């Protein structure tokens, strides 16, 4: 522990006393992102004008990013649309740092996805790196050991000159931070669309595991308990990031906002993780909170609000990287790799021993009180005296105007089903390859080769499989599976249906691995809430998602809202990223996504309709977006998941792969390329049964569909399983290995044949051609 | 048989190395960088990671950790020492092995299932391999390019001290495709790829037989156990 430091240049802070005696002083509330009525409301709460420190706190905590002021009204549905059955395994729900799910055998899993969009456009490397760092600290603060990360990335047009800058920066930032933390990166998404050109989306998800008894919460309870800040020193980085960056829109020609992006040090975070886990093991902390957006303002006000209600802090005790920082800057700083703990006085010595062992710097800032006030002193003078709930909990709530978009009826009327579809094998083959090599469907190993998925030794599945899977218990094999999805194109056509489609796909991606879907997290990326049409999209998406979760019987456990994603006046497509977590009794029973053995029968589960609107085919072949996205039948998704689980439990299924973007064509190609085992496939029975043509059979994106491969000896049992459950099933092919003279190939009978090498070279060439060569 | 795995601040694969020791049939012993105590272990593993955030140079600060003086003494006494990735970087920084490791020639971190050839099956960590055998173990690094002077490289090759060479693809620009080397006595081995990630079916690299079934890394640890048993 280092002694109190004295700033080189003593800053004279605005005291509470001074604020009371100078009511007329002009304050820069607007520059801090507060609206006039919000400023007036702060004055009313306090009965005086705020001090500059209080103004700093309110401005960051009442920002859209921290307060959810525009979304709160809608997010309540996630807590309301639940049944007792849905919440019975939920140990911690929404509102904490991350949700916690009981996965059995005394284990729990905590997970959450969060956005770091705006910083990642300004400074892609640090923005993406600190996005990983922030979500991992949320997981640690629940008492869990982080065990995996994933990223959901959306970039601008692949051939736009600025896209490479963002792609390189974001990928290397995630690679640098995640790899240095020793966390396997097991999946995620990468999409390109011009709508994200000036506003890429960088979402980061982390998962942690804990024993039930290790659960920790962000509560400051126990009067007299010490409030301790530990980890990295506080510097000038990220000041105002929460209020100014995350709640503002990028406009051309404005001043550069680079200094507001935080800078990350993964080594400091890795040491902090191990240090926290040792503190938990020794039972040395009563409450804990990570410092993220809004830094000390957020941590003190949230800890106090969730606990006994009062806290006293001596702000000059904060260890500084830059001694010239003012009190307001210290309150707002978003320096990374910091945690705040509440420690019983009798355990303080033991606490300090542990942090010293890990060479983590620490200072005791103050203590928990029962005054109901958060009081912050600066060199003996009171600069903050507020009811913490007015800062952290009872911020403004807006009922923003909502308007049905003027353009959406015309968009929905312009369907892709009316576009010309090829009928001849040569054109089908050409379109098949064009889709396979399109940036959105192409191989992403240019990115994922930069991520370590081996570290920790428990990764059972990772990209390019449909979901990532991690073993939780080495003795029993208990594990979890996790997948995320979002399709902005579908959501632009119909945000309610788009959100349900994202949920259905993530749910299906977890189910194909043999796991049972259990809980949901979401990151809702939208344009400006001040645009009534965006607010309509948001309300539709949240209703669709919350209704969908109720239908599927899995609860939303937490997540994040990111508004103001737009360039100028043009909002991004609504992009609600949905993450589904599933549980599997034994990861040894996991189901891979590709074919491994010869002579297996290939079955298509589900039916194919003429649903091409919003599809990858419409976008890639015709540059078209219009119509209504595919229908979703969540009861069918549930039945399908049950069928897949039963099949996996009895080891009847050799592989299973979800059909989504690019339809059956893409799923077949990926199943071949995964392990280099070919197949002979016929479309005739699909076309006859479902009344569709060959191009629809290949490219339609109808939901509730999966291809599975089944060893011959299990064929009768598998058909029996499907019939017993009444799920539509068709045998559409058989796997074929290479033999002397004939290379492994995908043969679509009566249409075309492509060798594995042709498929792979098309699939793998795209990203290296755009962003530079890759090794091997 | 007790094999120590040293944890430094920023070590990442220490628990993986402990698991590998256990699965090979020995008892893993967790050692701490700040102690001057090897707890009488029979062999030592310096695990992978980013000790001290790779500040200064990868492995440079860790090579001056308190426990390293005991490691250097033990290595000179003939105790088997294996440095994996960051551990290899520490061994070169501590001058237990010659040469050094620099930024990958392509500039990026890379993770891949890497084929390497075992060129020396006589070291403490490789007796369970055949000379010339090809094995596949994961590789993951940003600073894995092995360098040394031409004279040193000639000497390493002349004395048979190149233990592993990259096969097929050289993933990081290592001179003469060198993936791992040993000291004159053959008890200290350092390599960039990660044998501790190929020790358990279901969690290793893909093989032609089944996904994630590669366990070639296990034989590093069984070799050391055998070497110790025959001492």
């Amino acid at each position: 522990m280092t002694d109190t430091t004295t700033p080189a240049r003593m800053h004279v802070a605005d005291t509470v006393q001074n604020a009371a005696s100078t009511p007329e002083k002009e304050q820069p509330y607007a520059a801090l992102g507060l609206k006039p009525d919000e400023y007036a409301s702060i004055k009313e709460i306090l009965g005086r004008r705020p001090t500059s420190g209080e103004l700093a706190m309110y401005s960051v905590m009442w920002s859209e990013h921290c307060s959810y002021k525009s979304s709160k009204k809608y997010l309540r549905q996630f807590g309301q649309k639940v049944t007792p059955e849905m919440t019975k395994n939920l140990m911690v729900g929404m509102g904490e740092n991350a949700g916690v799910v009981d996965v059995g055998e005394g284990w729990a899993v905590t997970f959450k996805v969060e956005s770091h969009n705006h910083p990642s456009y300004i400074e892609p490397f640090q923005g993406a790196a600190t996005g990983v760092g922030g979500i991992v600290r949320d997981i640690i603060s629940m008492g869990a050991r982080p065990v995996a990360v994933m990223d959901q990335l959306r970039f601008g047009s692949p051939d736009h000159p600025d896209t490479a800058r963002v792609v390189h920066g974001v990928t290397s930032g995630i690679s640098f931070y995640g790899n240095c933390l020793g966390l396997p990166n097991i999946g995620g998404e990468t999409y390109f669309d011009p709508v994200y050109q000036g506003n890429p989306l960088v979402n980061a998800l982390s998962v942690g595991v804990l024993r039930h008894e290790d659960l920790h919460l962000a509560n400051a309870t126990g009067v007299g308990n010490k409030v301790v800040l530990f980890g990295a020193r506080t510097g000038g980085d990220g000041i105002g990031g929460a209020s100014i960056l995350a709640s503002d829109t990028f406009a051309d020609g404005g001043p550069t906002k680079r200094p507001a992006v935080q800078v990350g040090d993964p080594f400091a975070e890795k040491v902090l993780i191990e240090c926290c886990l040792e503190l938990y093991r020794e039972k040395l902390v009563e409450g804990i909170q990570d410092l993220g957006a809004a830094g000390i303002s957020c941590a003190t006000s949230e800890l106090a609000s969730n606990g006994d209600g009062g806290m006293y802090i001596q702000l000059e005790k904060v260890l500084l990287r830059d001694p010239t920082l003012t009190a307001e800057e210290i309150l707002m700083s978003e320096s990374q790799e910091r945690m705040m703990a509440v420690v019983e006085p009798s355990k303080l010595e033991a606490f300090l021993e542990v942090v010293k062992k890990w060479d983590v710097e620490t200072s005791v800032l103050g203590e928990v009180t029962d005054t109901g006030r958060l009081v912050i002193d600066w060199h003996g003078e009171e600069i903050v005296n507020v009811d913490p709930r007015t800062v952290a909990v009872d911020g403004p709530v807006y009922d923003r105007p909502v308007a049905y978009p003027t353009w959406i009826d015309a968009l929905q009327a312009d369907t892709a089903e009316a576009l010309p579809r090829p009928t001849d094998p040569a054109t089908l083959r050409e379109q098949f390859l064009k889709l396979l090599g399109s940036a959105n469907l192409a191989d992403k190993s240019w990115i994922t080769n930069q991520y370590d998925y081996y570290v920790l030794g428990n990764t059972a599945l990772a990209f390019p499989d449909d979901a990532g899977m991690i073993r939780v218990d080495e003795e029993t094999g208990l594990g979890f599976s996790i997948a995320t999805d979002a399709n902005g194109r579908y959501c632009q056509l119909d945000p309610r249906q788009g959100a349900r489609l994202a949920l259905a796909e993530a749910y299906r991606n977890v189910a194909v691995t043999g796991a049972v879907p259990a809980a949901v997290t979401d990151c809702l990326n939208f344009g400006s809430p001040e645009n009534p049409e965006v607010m309509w999209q948001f309300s539709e998406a949240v209703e669709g998602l919350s209704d969908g979760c109720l239908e599927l019987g899995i609860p939303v456990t937490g997540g994040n809202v990111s508004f103001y994603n737009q360039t100028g006046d043009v909002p991004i497509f609504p992009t609600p990223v949905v993450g589904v977590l599933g549980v599997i009794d034994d990861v040894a029973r996991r189901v891979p996504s590709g074919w491994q053995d010869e002579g297996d029968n290939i079955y298509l589960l589900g039916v194919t309709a003429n649903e091409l609107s919003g599809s990858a085919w419409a976008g890639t072949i015709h540059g078209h977006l219009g119509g209504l996205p595919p229908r979703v039948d969540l009861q069918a998704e549930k039945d399908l998941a049950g069928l897949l689980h039963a099949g996996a439990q009895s080891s009847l299924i050799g592989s299973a792969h979800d059909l989504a973007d690019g339809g059956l064509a893409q799923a077949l190609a990926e199943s071949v390329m995964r392990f280099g085992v070919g197949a002979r496939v016929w479309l005739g029975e699909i076309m006859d049964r479902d009344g569709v043509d060959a191009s629809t059979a290949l490219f339609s994106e109808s939901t509730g569909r999966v291809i599975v491969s089944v060893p011959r000896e299990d064929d009768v049992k598998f058909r029996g399983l499907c019939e017993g459950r009444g799920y539509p099933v068709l045998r559409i092919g058989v796997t074929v290995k290479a033999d002397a003279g004939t290379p492994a190939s995908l043969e679509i009978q009566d249409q075309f044949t492509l060798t594995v090498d042709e498929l792979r070279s098309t699939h793998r060439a795209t990203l290296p051609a755009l962003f530079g060569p890759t090794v091997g | 048989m007790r094999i120590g795995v040293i944890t430094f601040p920023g070590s990442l694969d220490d628990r993986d190395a402990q698991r590998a020791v256990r699965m090979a049939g020995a008892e893993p012993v967790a050692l701490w960088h700040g102690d001057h105590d090897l707890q009488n272990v029979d062999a030592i593993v310096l695990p992978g990671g980013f000790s001290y955030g790779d500040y200064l140079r990868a492995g440079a600060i860790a090579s001056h950790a308190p426990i390293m003086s005991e490691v250097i003494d033990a290595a000179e006494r003939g105790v088997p020492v294996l440095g994996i990735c960051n551990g290899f970087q520490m061994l070169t920084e501590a001058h237990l092995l010659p040469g050094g490791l620099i930024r990958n020639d392509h500039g990026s971190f890379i993770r891949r299932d890497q084929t390497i050839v075992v060129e020396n099956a006589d070291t403490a960590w490789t007796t369970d391999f055949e000379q010339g055998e090809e094995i596949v173990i994961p590789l993951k690094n940003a600073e894995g390019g092995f360098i040394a002077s031409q004279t040193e490289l000639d000497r390493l090759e002349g004395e048979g001290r190149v233990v592993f060479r990259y096969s097929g693809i050289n993933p990081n620009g290592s001179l003469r495709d060198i993936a791992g080397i040993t000291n004159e006595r053959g008890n200290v081995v350092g390599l960039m790829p990660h044998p501790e990630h190929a020790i358990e079916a279901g969690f290793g690299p893909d093989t032609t037989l089944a996904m994630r079934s590669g366990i070639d890394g296990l034989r590093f640890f069984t070799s050391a156990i055998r070497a110790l048993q025959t001492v």
Side-chain angles (χ1 to χ4, degrees):
Chain A
M1 191 168 112
T2 314
D3 251 342
T4 306
T5 49
T6 310
R9 176 173 64 81
M10 255 290 273
H11 155 70
V12 182
D14 185 21
T15 63
V16 171
Q17 201 182 5
N18 187 41
S21 60
T22 56
E24 72 293 343
K25 184 175 185 265
E26 292 249 339
Q27 293 190 286
Y29 65 86
L32 289 166
L34 287 168
K35 309 285 185 216
D37 55 329
E38 292 172 341
Y39 179 62
S41 146
I42 293 167
K43 287 205 281 195
E44 195 185 316
I45 288 168
L46 295 173
R48 56 173 165 80
R49 75 162 174 89
T51 65
S52 52
E54 288 165 344
L55 185 66
M57 288 184 80
Y58 279 106
S59 73
V60 286
M61 290 302 289
W62 284 16
S63 68
E64 187 64 58
H65 185 71
C66 293
S67 73
Y68 294 90
K69 57 190 170 191
S70 304
S71 56
K72 223 176 217 171
K73 175 187 161 196
Y74 299 96
L75 299 178
R76 292 191 183 117
Q77 295 173 71
F78 290 126
Q80 289 160 352
K81 293 177 186 167
V82 288
T83 62
E85 181 66 18
M86 279 165 75
T87 49
K88 77 175 194 306
N89 291 327
L90 197 56
M91 295 172 65
V92 175
M94 294 210 313
E96 284 286 342
N97 285 308
V100 181
V101 181
D102 178 0
V103 296
E105 301 175 21
W107 287 103
V109 172
T110 176
F111 73 124
K112 187 176 164 186
V113 59
E114 210 169 62
S115 64
H116 227 221
N117 303 337
H118 295 114
S120 301
Y121 178 61
I122 296 174
E123 184 65 73
F125 182 92
Q126 291 295 347
T130 54
V132 176
I135 191 68
V136 167
R137 280 194 304 284
D138 275 339
I139 296 304
I140 310 170
S141 60
M142 299 310 296
R145 173 178 279 282
V147 295
V149 293
M150 290 174 123
D151 293 274
Q152 298 72 33
L153 310 177
R154 281 164 180 83
F155 302 114
S157 174
D159 45 12
H160 187 285
D162 189 49
T163 302
R165 170 189 74 95
V166 182
V167 169
H168 277 269
V170 165
T171 305
S172 52
I174 292 167
S175 161
F176 165 72
Y177 206 102
N179 293 339
C180 284
L181 279 189
L183 294 179
N185 191 319
I186 57 171
E189 306 164 65
T190 307
Y191 283 97
F192 299 90
D193 194 292
V195 81
Y196 305 108
Q197 197 65 54
N199 198 127
L201 301 185
V202 176
N203 295 175
L205 177 146
S206 181
V207 194
V209 300
L210 65 156
R211 299 294 298 170
H212 287 183
E213 60 272 21
D214 290 333
L215 181 65
H216 279 74
L217 296 175
N219 298 341
T221 51
V223 172
N225 282 348
K226 299 297 176 191
V227 177
V228 186
L229 181 66
F230 63 115
R233 286 184 168 231
T234 299
D237 48 338
I239 289 174
S243 62
I244 298 175
L245 269 186
S247 307
D248 203 352
T249 303
F250 295 127
D252 289 338
T256 172
K257 285 176 174 170
R258 190 182 302 263
V261 176
Q262 315 88 323
V263 176
D265 176 358
F267 170 63
E269 178 128 325
K270 168 64 181 172
V271 171
L272 200 55
I273 294 174
E274 298 302 329
C275 176
C276 285
L277 291 171
E278 186 163 339
L279 291 170
Y280 300 153
R281 263 199 309 278
E282 306 294 325
K283 308 208 178 309
L284 297 175
V285 295
E286 307 307 308
I288 190 150
Q289 169 76 303
D290 67 301
L291 275 73
I296 292 174
S297 297
C298 179
T300 53
S301 60
E302 286 193 351
L303 278 167
S305 297
N306 296 340
D308 291 348
M311 187 182 283
Y312 171 68
I313 295 290
Q314 291 172 292
L315 195 64
E316 71 277 7
K317 294 200 171 177
V318 173
L319 300 177
L320 299 178
R321 205 183 297 154
D322 171 0
T324 67
L325 289 183
T326 65
E328 296 79 11
E329 288 169 330
I330 296 168
L331 285 170
M332 294 174 85
S333 165
E334 296 187 354
S335 288
Q336 299 289 293
E337 294 94 22
R338 297 181 298 164
M339 301 286 281
M340 186 172 279
V342 176
V343 183
E344 276 184 27
S346 63
K347 293 178 178 172
L348 187 61
E349 201 174 325
F351 179 99
L352 295 173
E353 281 287 311
V354 172
V355 292
K356 187 178 168 200
K357 174 186 165 188
W358 289 99
D359 290 323
V360 169
E361 289 197 297
T362 309
S363 57
V364 178
L365 300 188
E367 60 185 41
V368 178
T369 67
D370 57 3
T371 60
R373 308 292 290 180
L374 169 60
V375 176
I376 300 180
D377 280 4
W378 174 249
H379 295 286
E381 293 191 288
E382 191 175 276
I383 59 162
V384 171
N385 186 332
V386 296
D387 173 350
R389 294 188 59 85
T390 65
V391 179
V393 185
D394 302 324
V397 176
Y398 290 145
D399 188 1
R400 302 267 194 199
V402 167
Y404 184 78
T406 52
W407 42 265
I408 203 162
D409 287 340
L411 185 70
Q412 291 179 347
D414 174 24
T415 71
E417 288 75 17
L419 296 169
R421 293 195 295 276
T423 49
D424 63 300
T427 315
L428 271 176
R429 179 183 188 277
E430 185 191 315
Q431 295 193 351
F432 185 102
L433 286 173
K434 193 168 177 196
L435 275 163
L436 189 66
S438 66
N440 284 337
L441 296 179
D443 178 35
K444 299 300 186 306
S445 47
W446 187 92
I447 291 169
T448 56
N449 280 354
Q450 298 182 46
Y451 301 155
D452 177 6
Y453 64 65
Y454 279 109
V455 65
L456 302 181
N458 288 313
T459 306
L461 291 175
F463 37 76
D465 289 310
D466 288 316
M469 185 182 287
I470 296 284
R471 175 174 61 180
V472 171
D473 189 312
E474 289 194 39
E475 298 298 316
T476 65
L478 174 73
F480 67 80
S481 169
I482 185 158
T484 66
D485 281 291
N487 187 320
R489 286 165 55 82
Y490 289 166
C491 292
Q492 181 74 356
L493 299 179
D494 181 346
R496 178 184 296 259
Q497 193 73 344
R500 288 164 64 86
L501 280 157
L503 173 67
E505 190 185 341
Y507 183 90
R508 201 182 317 124
N509 279 331
V510 163
V512 293
T513 65
V516 179
V520 175
T521 182
D522 58 40
C523 188
L524 307 171
N525 304 278
F526 286 78
S528 166
E530 295 163 45
N531 175 342
E533 294 187 343
V534 169
M535 241 12 247
W536 177 83
Q537 292 174 323
F538 184 77
S539 71
E540 286 287 300
V542 171
E543 273 188 39
L545 184 56
S546 53
D547 287 343
C549 288
L550 185 61
E551 281 180 63
L552 289 173
I554 51 175
V556 174
T557 63
N560 171 241
V561 177
S562 175
F563 279 130
Y564 297 99
N565 293 292
Q566 55 189 53
T567 310
D569 291 334
V570 182
I572 59 162
F573 292 158
T575 312
V577 168
V578 181
V580 172
L581 178 97
V583 182
I584 183 164
D585 296 341
D586 185 355
V587 298
R589 290 214 185 88
R590 72 196 190 279
V591 179
S593 67
W595 300 321
Q596 298 184 80
D597 300 307
E598 181 164 32
D600 285 4
N601 282 321
I602 302 167
Y603 288 94
L604 173 65
L605 296 166
V607 293
T608 307
N610 186 356
E611 293 180 299
L612 290 161
S613 288
S615 68
W617 176 83
T620 303
I621 306 298
H622 295 280
H624 180 271
L625 178 62
L628 284 168
R631 288 178 297 273
V632 193
D633 178 349
L634 292 173
Q635 185 55 49
E637 299 287 355
K638 247 174 126 165
D639 295 345
L640 176 61
L643 166 62
L644 290 165
H645 183 248
Q649 287 293 98
S650 0
S651 301
L652 300 178
I653 298 179
S655 76
H657 193 19
D658 147 70
L659 269 62
D661 302 20
L664 178 64
Q666 183 72 12
L668 290 172
E670 288 174 352
S671 298
V672 170
M673 292 185 294
R674 182 75 176 86
F675 298 107
V677 173
R680 191 167 65 249
V681 173
W682 45 90
L683 303 176
E685 289 170 49
I686 304 173
M687 293 158 66
D688 290 346
R689 185 194 64 182
D690 298 341
V692 294
D693 57 19
S695 57
T696 306
L698 282 173
F699 303 127
S700 166
E701 297 183 2
S702 294
T703 62
R705 296 184 305 159
V706 165
I707 47 173
V708 297
S709 64
V710 178
R712 285 255 161 93
E713 60 271 24
D714 295 320
D715 211 54
V716 176
K717 279 193 208 156
F718 178 76
R719 280 171 175 272
L721 183 70
C722 296
E723 276 157 28
R725 288 170 180 259
Y727 207 82
V729 61
L730 271 185
R731 191 166 80 96
I732 61 162
V734 62
T735 61
V736 185
K737 270 197 174 166
D739 56 37
T742 38
S745 302
L746 174 63
E747 179 191 351
I748 310 287
Q749 276 190 347
D750 306 327
Q751 302 293 349
F752 54 85
T753 299
L754 291 159
T755 66
V756 174
D757 287 346
E758 284 174 295
L759 294 170
R760 281 183 176 159
S761 60
T762 303
H763 195 229
R764 287 176 180 173
T766 310
L767 263 59
L770 289 164
F771 306 120
T774 180
V775 178
Chain B
M1 199 67 62
R2 300 165 73 247
I3 300 181
V5 177
I6 304 175
T7 298
F8 298 85
S11 288
L12 304 178
D13 303 305
D14 44 344
R15 296 193 303 159
D16 302 63
Q18 290 171 17
R19 182 190 295 115
V21 166
R22 194 169 58 244
M23 297 200 78
E27 179 195 342
V29 178
L31 302 176
W32 182 244
H33 73 109
D35 296 338
H36 279 288
D37 184 2
L38 293 176
Q39 300 185 31
N40 293 314
V41 294
D42 303 297
I44 301 162
V45 178
L46 303 181
F50 289 80
S51 61
Y52 299 95
D54 275 357
Y55 296 145
L56 189 57
R57 287 184 309 279
I61 299 175
S63 71
H64 293 285
I67 203 166
M68 285 305 286
S69 50
E70 280 70 27
V71 172
I72 291 167
D73 287 349
E76 282 165 1
R77 286 199 314 275
V79 171
V81 178
L82 177 66
I84 303 167
C85 194
N86 194 218
F88 183 20
Q89 293 159 341
M90 291 175 206
L91 291 175
T92 63
E93 289 286 344
H95 303 295
L96 286 170
L97 292 174
L101 284 309
I102 60 167
R103 187 90 186 155
N104 296 345
D105 58 353
H106 48 84
S108 296
F109 183 98
I110 181 158
R111 185 253 328 127
R112 69 190 309 272
D113 295 350
Q114 179 67 45
T115 304
I116 56 177
V117 179
V118 182
E119 296 208 344
N120 180 342
D122 294 325
T123 75
W125 298 92
T126 54
T127 51
D128 280 357
F129 295 106
E130 298 291 326
Q131 192 87 19
E133 184 179 350
E134 285 205 333
I135 62 173
V136 178
I137 57 178
L139 171 107
K140 42 173 217 184
N141 64 63
E143 315 221 338
F146 181 75
I147 53 162
S149 68
Q150 293 302 320
T151 323
E152 190 68 65
L153 291 168
D154 291 341
R155 182 162 163 236
L156 282 170
E157 290 187 333
E159 293 174 0
R161 287 165 54 199
V162 173
V163 186
F164 307 103
R165 237 186 266 267
Y166 296 115
S167 176
I169 283 167
N170 179 336
N172 43 32
S174 291
L175 296 179
R176 303 193 192 176
D177 301 332
I178 290 172
I181 56 174
T182 185
N183 62 349
E184 287 172 30
R185 194 164 171 173
N187 63 310
V188 179
V189 170
L191 80 165
M192 285 313 296
H194 288 256
E196 81 283 16
H197 292 323
I199 50 120
E200 184 182 11
F203 302 90
D206 288 339
T207 71
T208 50
L209 293 175
M211 74 180 291
R212 313 296 302 279
S213 62
I215 56 166
D216 287 340
L218 198 58
R219 283 184 283 163
F220 283 70
F221 303 93
T222 55
S223 294
I225 293 168
R226 189 186 312 275
L228 291 164
Q229 281 164 342
T230 53
V231 166

